[in-house]
Amino acid sequence: MGERPYILLSCGMSIDGYLDNAGGKRLLLSNDADFDRVDDVRASCDAIMVGAGTVRLDNPRLLVRSAERRSERVARGLPPTPLKVTVTGRGELDPSAAFFSAGDVDKLVYCASEAVDGTRGRLGDAATVVDAGDPVDLCRVLADLHERGVGRLMVEGGGRVHTQFLTAGLVDELHLVVAPFFVGDSRAPRFVGDGAFPWGPDRRARLAEVRQIGDVVLLRYGLSDRFDESAGCGRCEEG
């Protein structure tokens, strides 16, 4: 593929690899210190991406929370919070969702070709809908983001998006936070699904950093030759 953004995939999971429980109430997998670290990482990026399923189920705002960090971005000539991005095959998105309604920042929806017209009609001026091929082609999405000036992309889930990016070998850096408990329910969503991943017993991922943050642990992996070890993983309080 052509030029693409630097891609940082960020995820919190239970000890047994789950992103959430199977119930209706969202499972918190981190703590205040780590949420602040994630906020710092968000502020360092040009765009944040989640899958359409995450938009529907978790209703994320995807904003930089810290007023100081927002001010620092503005002082650098940037919007207060990064561009928000989602990908969808069917375009079944609610324009009143927090992804669209929260924050004075542009929103991009990369949509399968056959659903583009319907998605544009459904979302109106809540977002810019971009034809991403049929099925959605991540390389096409990333090339378009690069052309829009996105140099650093943070991917925050969910499991299907994680799997697509990782199996395609498109992730440069992985931040994996492990919470100190088990979910133990196979109905719950996992960090990744089945797939042919570039890293296995004969090609081990590079572990660049291990950090305790209160009662969770951050594992930071370099997954490509583009890995920027000097960029760090955000400021946080060490346990």
Side-chain angles (χ1 to χ4, degrees):
M1 66 175 293
E3 292 188 85
R4 65 165 175 83
Y6 183 89
I7 298 171
L8 185 157
L9 193 151
S10 176
C11 177
M13 69 178 193
S14 64
I15 292 174
D16 50 347
Y18 289 98
L19 298 177
D20 207 341
N21 54 37
K25 185 177 180 180
R26 185 182 177 190
L27 181 66
L28 293 181
L29 291 157
S30 196
N31 54 42
D32 289 344
D34 188 59
F35 285 136
D36 187 63
R37 178 196 63 83
V38 171
D39 195 59
D40 194 33
V41 176
R42 281 182 176 178
S44 74
C45 295
D46 301 307
I48 305 169
M49 176 188 287
V50 295
T54 298
V55 173
R56 288 190 292 266
L57 295 175
D58 294 345
N59 198 31
R61 292 164 53 85
L62 300 183
L63 302 176
V64 173
R65 299 180 182 183
S66 164
E68 180 182 356
R69 291 179 186 127
R70 293 195 301 269
S71 296
E72 288 174 352
R73 285 179 55 90
V74 171
R76 300 201 311 269
L78 301 172
T81 199
L83 174 74
K84 295 197 278 190
V85 183
T86 190
V87 290
T88 176
R90 304 187 304 272
E92 295 175 357
L93 293 163
D94 183 350
S96 67
F99 177 93
F100 301 106
S101 61
D104 185 16
V105 62
D106 291 339
K107 296 92 179 176
L108 292 176
V109 175
Y110 288 94
C111 186
S113 301
E114 64 179 12
V116 166
D117 290 343
T119 304
R120 285 176 177 161
R122 185 176 302 110
L123 296 179
D125 59 3
T128 299
V129 178
V130 182
D131 188 339
D134 194 11
V136 171
D137 182 345
L138 284 182
C139 291
R140 181 168 169 174
V141 170
L142 296 174
D144 186 76
L145 286 171
H146 175 78
E147 290 179 2
R148 294 174 187 270
V150 174
R152 186 174 172 88
L153 172 66
M154 185 175 184
V155 177
E156 293 197 27
R160 183 176 180 182
V161 170
H162 294 161
T163 303
Q164 290 173 332
F165 270 88
L166 288 165
T167 55
L170 293 172
V171 179
D172 301 300
E173 182 171 346
L174 171 62
H175 292 186
L176 190 61
V177 169
V178 182
F181 55 79
F182 295 82
V183 170
D185 188 340
S186 62
R187 297 171 300 169
R190 299 191 68 90
F191 164 45
V192 293
D194 295 343
F197 295 88
W199 309 274
D202 298 325
R203 186 191 178 197
R204 298 162 76 98
R206 175 188 172 192
L207 179 61
E209 184 176 0
V210 178
R211 182 183 297 192
Q212 182 179 347
I213 309 172
D215 65 349
V216 304
V217 63
L218 168 69
L219 305 175
R220 182 171 172 241
Y221 292 92
L223 299 184
S224 83
D225 294 338
R226 305 174 78 201
F227 173 59
D228 183 6
E229 187 166 4
S230 65
C233 62
R235 296 184 293 272
C236 60
E237 299 176 8
E238 297 187 13

